[in-house]
Amino acid sequence: MRAFHLSRPWLVLFGLALSVAISNGFGRFSYGLILPAMRESLHWSYTQAGWLNTANAIGYLAGAVATMALIRRVAPGRLFVIGTLGTAVSLALTGVDESLAAQSLCRVGAGVFGALSFICGGTLAASMFTDSPRRNALAIALYFGGGGGLGLALCGAVLPVMLDVMGPQSWDTAWFLVGFAALAFVPMTIWAAGQIRPPATEDAPRSRPPMRRMLGQMISYGFFGLGYIVYPTFLSAWMVSHQISTALIAATWVALGVSVMASPFLWRGVLARFTSGLPMAVILVAVAAGSALPVLLPNTVGLLLSALVFGLSFFMPPSAITSFVRQNLPQPDWGAAISACTVVFAMSQILGPIGAGWIGDHTGQIGDGLLVASAMLLAGAACAVMQRPLGAR
């Protein structure tokens, strides 16, 4: 495979990363910040609140399946643009109708289009710097972590203060603000996708990705999907239930976003060095610790430490999967393998929010859901340890 060259590769990577700010920072995790206001204004239970992120995960699963079917017939750049624009529009529409049916439809739409954008953007990022393993690993990690962290930090800095000043009934304004911010990022992402023209692979030999030999990595990714989503979905609700101040809520989410942006520099060496499941295992242990810390240490230090540990790790499992696939499989199989892993992730992600909401409703403490999620993440780490490089016998 011949490397292709870009005149402004880091600017292109920044444009790609903005799509993760849209699909994940805005599309998935801003909901956790708006959720307390929606619960109070619309009188939802924890289960109903969890359902909306489950609806988003159902859409994400559908989008991952669609991507797996389309990735070898439609250019990844084209799917990426469709997904990014569709996600932004879905977010802007979320504030239009308060009914649970309309909210569910918007969350499903954000999931479907977000999966197209997220997976295809990862494929494009993996095509950069193929002649330098360390820069390639950094590009993959920056794609996932840089954009997602930016989206989290922006939402954390603005939404809690806005909702506190304007009141919980302004949840619809919050969604309009998120949607318009996403639309403002779209032109840069479209430009970046147009700059990447990796070598044609239509005539390259294709084989079915060796999924059985990837089971350790795939199952661990499934446990990640089951456990991680509980923290960003219910962290703000947990803080509100414990009378945490608006300033500390905002500071915690900004710290979370800044930590996510720093995470690629922490993990790039590990991702470049190891071709096994070890990076995923270590990352999941860190995510588990961050998930449990608010409950185990329910004070200012515990919350900020939780944001730091969780933020430095929870955007890295997609990087670990992408890096593992890039190091162990030929390029024509990257898109299909990443899509297959994402399907497993998306299926498990469906259960996390509604399951944690059910636990919170039945125990009266949403923190119990955070502890169960931490246990699931540790189970995923145990599975990842067993994943060997695909070249090993």
Side-chain angles (χ1 to χ4, degrees), residues 321-355:
I321 284 288
T322 305
S323 184
F324 177 86
V325 166
R326 186 215 171 266
Q327 291 169 319
N328 286 279
L329 296 176
Q331 188 187 22
D333 293 333
W334 291 355
I338 292 171
S339 296
C341 292
T342 305
V343 168
V344 174
F345 163 79
M347 289 175 65
S348 63
Q349 187 180 231
I350 289 172
L351 302 175
I354 197 168

Short mmCIF file of all heavy atoms in Angstrom, two decimals, residues 321-355:
data_model
loop_
_atom_site.label_atom_id
_atom_site.label_comp_id
_atom_site.label_asym_id
_atom_site.label_seq_id
_atom_site.Cartn_x
_atom_site.Cartn_y
_atom_site.Cartn_z
N ILE A 321 -9.40 0.02 19.17
CA ILE A 321 -9.96 -0.86 18.15
C ILE A 321 -9.40 -0.51 16.78
O ILE A 321 -8.96 -1.38 16.02
CB ILE A 321 -11.50 -0.76 18.13
CG1 ILE A 321 -12.10 -1.51 19.32
CG2 ILE A 321 -12.08 -1.29 16.82
CD1 ILE A 321 -12.02 -3.01 19.22
N THR A 322 -9.43 0.78 16.44
CA THR A 322 -8.96 1.22 15.12
C THR A 322 -7.48 0.91 14.94
O THR A 322 -7.04 0.44 13.88
CB THR A 322 -9.23 2.72 14.93
OG1 THR A 322 -10.62 2.98 15.13
CG2 THR A 322 -8.84 3.16 13.53
N SER A 323 -6.69 1.17 15.98
CA SER A 323 -5.27 0.89 15.91
C SER A 323 -5.00 -0.61 15.79
O SER A 323 -4.15 -1.04 15.01
CB SER A 323 -4.56 1.45 17.14
OG SER A 323 -3.17 1.27 17.06
N PHE A 324 -5.75 -1.42 16.52
CA PHE A 324 -5.61 -2.88 16.46
C PHE A 324 -5.91 -3.38 15.05
O PHE A 324 -5.18 -4.21 14.48
CB PHE A 324 -6.54 -3.53 17.47
CG PHE A 324 -6.53 -5.03 17.45
CD1 PHE A 324 -5.59 -5.74 18.17
CD2 PHE A 324 -7.47 -5.73 16.71
CE1 PHE A 324 -5.58 -7.13 18.15
CE2 PHE A 324 -7.47 -7.11 16.68
CZ PHE A 324 -6.51 -7.82 17.41
N VAL A 325 -7.00 -2.89 14.47
CA VAL A 325 -7.38 -3.30 13.12
C VAL A 325 -6.33 -2.86 12.11
O VAL A 325 -5.92 -3.64 11.23
CB VAL A 325 -8.76 -2.71 12.76
CG1 VAL A 325 -9.05 -2.83 11.27
CG2 VAL A 325 -9.86 -3.40 13.56
N ARG A 326 -5.85 -1.63 12.24
CA ARG A 326 -4.86 -1.13 11.28
C ARG A 326 -3.56 -1.93 11.35
O ARG A 326 -2.92 -2.19 10.34
CB ARG A 326 -4.57 0.34 11.58
CG ARG A 326 -3.65 0.95 10.53
CD ARG A 326 -2.72 1.98 11.13
NE ARG A 326 -1.74 2.37 10.13
CZ ARG A 326 -0.55 1.84 9.99
NH1 ARG A 326 -0.16 0.85 10.78
NH2 ARG A 326 0.29 2.23 9.05
N GLN A 327 -3.16 -2.34 12.56
CA GLN A 327 -1.90 -3.06 12.73
C GLN A 327 -1.99 -4.54 12.35
O GLN A 327 -0.97 -5.16 12.05
CB GLN A 327 -1.43 -2.95 14.19
CG GLN A 327 -1.00 -1.55 14.60
CD GLN A 327 -0.81 -1.42 16.10
OE1 GLN A 327 -1.60 -1.94 16.88
NE2 GLN A 327 0.24 -0.73 16.50
N ASN A 328 -3.20 -5.09 12.34
CA ASN A 328 -3.34 -6.54 12.17
C ASN A 328 -4.03 -6.97 10.88
O ASN A 328 -4.02 -8.16 10.56
CB ASN A 328 -4.12 -7.13 13.36
CG ASN A 328 -3.31 -7.19 14.63
OD1 ASN A 328 -2.51 -8.11 14.83
ND2 ASN A 328 -3.49 -6.21 15.51
N LEU A 329 -4.64 -6.03 10.15
CA LEU A 329 -5.40 -6.38 8.95
C LEU A 329 -4.96 -5.52 7.77
O LEU A 329 -4.48 -4.40 7.94
CB LEU A 329 -6.90 -6.18 9.19
CG LEU A 329 -7.57 -7.05 10.25
CD1 LEU A 329 -9.02 -6.65 10.42
CD2 LEU A 329 -7.46 -8.52 9.91
N PRO A 330 -5.16 -6.02 6.53
CA PRO A 330 -4.87 -5.21 5.35
C PRO A 330 -5.88 -4.08 5.21
O PRO A 330 -7.03 -4.21 5.65
CB PRO A 330 -4.98 -6.21 4.19
CG PRO A 330 -5.87 -7.29 4.71
CD PRO A 330 -5.58 -7.39 6.17
N GLN A 331 -5.48 -2.99 4.56
CA GLN A 331 -6.34 -1.81 4.47
C GLN A 331 -7.73 -2.10 3.89
O GLN A 331 -8.72 -1.53 4.38
CB GLN A 331 -5.67 -0.69 3.68
CG GLN A 331 -6.47 0.60 3.74
CD GLN A 331 -5.91 1.69 2.83
OE1 GLN A 331 -5.21 1.39 1.88
NE2 GLN A 331 -6.25 2.92 3.12
N PRO A 332 -7.88 -2.93 2.85
CA PRO A 332 -9.24 -3.15 2.33
C PRO A 332 -10.22 -3.69 3.36
O PRO A 332 -11.43 -3.57 3.17
CB PRO A 332 -9.01 -4.16 1.19
CG PRO A 332 -7.60 -3.94 0.78
CD PRO A 332 -6.86 -3.61 2.03
N ASP A 333 -9.71 -4.30 4.43
CA ASP A 333 -10.58 -4.88 5.44
C ASP A 333 -10.82 -3.96 6.64
O ASP A 333 -11.57 -4.32 7.54
CB ASP A 333 -9.99 -6.21 5.95
CG ASP A 333 -9.99 -7.27 4.87
OD1 ASP A 333 -10.85 -7.21 3.97
OD2 ASP A 333 -9.12 -8.16 4.92
N TRP A 334 -10.18 -2.80 6.66
CA TRP A 334 -10.31 -1.94 7.83
C TRP A 334 -11.76 -1.52 8.08
O TRP A 334 -12.27 -1.65 9.20
CB TRP A 334 -9.47 -0.67 7.67
CG TRP A 334 -7.99 -0.91 7.72
CD1 TRP A 334 -7.34 -2.07 7.97
CD2 TRP A 334 -6.98 0.08 7.48
NE1 TRP A 334 -5.98 -1.89 7.91
CE2 TRP A 334 -5.73 -0.57 7.61
CE3 TRP A 334 -7.00 1.44 7.18
CZ2 TRP A 334 -4.52 0.11 7.45
CZ3 TRP A 334 -5.80 2.11 7.02
CH2 TRP A 334 -4.57 1.44 7.16
N GLY A 335 -12.41 -1.00 7.05
CA GLY A 335 -13.77 -0.49 7.24
C GLY A 335 -14.72 -1.56 7.72
O GLY A 335 -15.51 -1.34 8.65
N ALA A 336 -14.67 -2.76 7.12
CA ALA A 336 -15.57 -3.84 7.51
C ALA A 336 -15.29 -4.30 8.93
O ALA A 336 -16.22 -4.56 9.71
CB ALA A 336 -15.42 -5.01 6.54
N ALA A 337 -14.01 -4.40 9.31
CA ALA A 337 -13.67 -4.86 10.65
C ALA A 337 -14.07 -3.84 11.71
O ALA A 337 -14.64 -4.20 12.76
CB ALA A 337 -12.17 -5.15 10.74
N ILE A 338 -13.81 -2.56 11.45
CA ILE A 338 -14.19 -1.52 12.40
C ILE A 338 -15.72 -1.47 12.53
O ILE A 338 -16.26 -1.33 13.64
CB ILE A 338 -13.64 -0.15 11.96
CG1 ILE A 338 -12.11 -0.14 12.07
CG2 ILE A 338 -14.22 0.98 12.82
CD1 ILE A 338 -11.45 1.09 11.45
N SER A 339 -16.42 -1.62 11.41
CA SER A 339 -17.88 -1.61 11.45
C SER A 339 -18.42 -2.79 12.26
O SER A 339 -19.35 -2.64 13.05
CB SER A 339 -18.45 -1.66 10.03
OG SER A 339 -18.10 -0.52 9.30
N ALA A 340 -17.82 -3.98 12.08
CA ALA A 340 -18.27 -5.15 12.83
C ALA A 340 -18.07 -4.96 14.32
O ALA A 340 -18.95 -5.28 15.13
CB ALA A 340 -17.53 -6.39 12.34
N CYS A 341 -16.91 -4.44 14.71
CA CYS A 341 -16.66 -4.16 16.13
C CYS A 341 -17.64 -3.12 16.65
O CYS A 341 -18.12 -3.21 17.79
CB CYS A 341 -15.22 -3.67 16.32
SG CYS A 341 -13.95 -4.91 16.03
N THR A 342 -17.96 -2.14 15.82
CA THR A 342 -18.87 -1.08 16.24
C THR A 342 -20.29 -1.61 16.41
O THR A 342 -21.04 -1.14 17.27
CB THR A 342 -18.85 0.08 15.23
OG1 THR A 342 -17.51 0.52 15.06
CG2 THR A 342 -19.71 1.24 15.71
N VAL A 343 -20.68 -2.61 15.62
CA VAL A 343 -21.99 -3.23 15.78
C VAL A 343 -22.10 -3.89 17.16
O VAL A 343 -23.10 -3.75 17.87
CB VAL A 343 -22.25 -4.25 14.66
CG1 VAL A 343 -23.48 -5.12 14.99
CG2 VAL A 343 -22.47 -3.54 13.33
N VAL A 344 -21.05 -4.61 17.56
CA VAL A 344 -21.03 -5.23 18.89
C VAL A 344 -21.13 -4.15 19.97
O VAL A 344 -21.91 -4.27 20.93
CB VAL A 344 -19.75 -6.07 19.08
CG1 VAL A 344 -19.65 -6.60 20.51
CG2 VAL A 344 -19.73 -7.23 18.08
N PHE A 345 -20.34 -3.11 19.82
CA PHE A 345 -20.37 -1.98 20.75
C PHE A 345 -21.76 -1.37 20.82
O PHE A 345 -22.30 -1.12 21.92
CB PHE A 345 -19.34 -0.95 20.29
CG PHE A 345 -19.50 0.42 20.87
CD1 PHE A 345 -19.05 0.69 22.16
CD2 PHE A 345 -20.08 1.44 20.14
CE1 PHE A 345 -19.18 1.96 22.71
CE2 PHE A 345 -20.23 2.71 20.68
CZ PHE A 345 -19.78 2.97 21.96
N ALA A 346 -22.37 -1.14 19.66
CA ALA A 346 -23.68 -0.48 19.62
C ALA A 346 -24.77 -1.34 20.24
O ALA A 346 -25.67 -0.82 20.92
CB ALA A 346 -24.03 -0.11 18.18
N MET A 347 -24.71 -2.65 20.02
CA MET A 347 -25.71 -3.55 20.61
C MET A 347 -25.65 -3.49 22.13
O MET A 347 -26.69 -3.44 22.80
CB MET A 347 -25.47 -4.97 20.11
CG MET A 347 -25.82 -5.18 18.64
SD MET A 347 -25.40 -6.84 18.05
CE MET A 347 -26.53 -7.83 19.02
N SER A 348 -24.45 -3.51 22.69
CA SER A 348 -24.34 -3.48 24.14
C SER A 348 -24.69 -2.10 24.70
O SER A 348 -25.26 -1.99 25.79
CB SER A 348 -22.92 -3.87 24.56
OG SER A 348 -21.97 -2.94 24.06
N GLN A 349 -24.38 -1.06 23.95
CA GLN A 349 -24.66 0.30 24.40
C GLN A 349 -26.16 0.55 24.58
O GLN A 349 -26.56 1.41 25.37
CB GLN A 349 -24.07 1.29 23.38
CG GLN A 349 -24.12 2.72 23.77
CD GLN A 349 -23.53 3.63 22.71
OE1 GLN A 349 -22.68 4.45 23.00
NE2 GLN A 349 -23.95 3.49 21.48
N ILE A 350 -26.97 -0.22 23.86
CA ILE A 350 -28.42 -0.07 23.98
C ILE A 350 -28.89 -0.34 25.40
O ILE A 350 -29.79 0.32 25.92
CB ILE A 350 -29.12 -1.03 22.99
CG1 ILE A 350 -28.93 -0.54 21.55
CG2 ILE A 350 -30.61 -1.16 23.30
CD1 ILE A 350 -29.41 -1.52 20.51
N LEU A 351 -28.26 -1.31 26.07
CA LEU A 351 -28.73 -1.75 27.38
C LEU A 351 -28.27 -0.85 28.52
O LEU A 351 -28.94 -0.78 29.56
CB LEU A 351 -28.24 -3.18 27.65
CG LEU A 351 -28.67 -4.24 26.63
CD1 LEU A 351 -28.02 -5.58 26.97
CD2 LEU A 351 -30.19 -4.36 26.61
N GLY A 352 -27.13 -0.16 28.35
CA GLY A 352 -26.54 0.58 29.45
C GLY A 352 -27.43 1.67 30.05
O GLY A 352 -27.71 1.65 31.26
N PRO A 353 -27.91 2.65 29.26
CA PRO A 353 -28.66 3.76 29.86
C PRO A 353 -29.98 3.33 30.50
O PRO A 353 -30.29 3.73 31.63
CB PRO A 353 -28.91 4.70 28.67
CG PRO A 353 -27.86 4.34 27.67
CD PRO A 353 -27.63 2.88 27.83
N ILE A 354 -30.75 2.51 29.80
CA ILE A 354 -32.06 2.13 30.36
C ILE A 354 -31.88 1.17 31.54
O ILE A 354 -32.64 1.20 32.51
CB ILE A 354 -32.96 1.53 29.26
CG1 ILE A 354 -34.42 1.53 29.74
CG2 ILE A 354 -32.50 0.14 28.85
CD1 ILE A 354 -35.42 1.23 28.64
N GLY A 355 -30.82 0.34 31.48
CA GLY A 355 -30.55 -0.55 32.61
C GLY A 355 -30.15 0.22 33.85
O GLY A 355 -30.63 -0.06 34.96
#
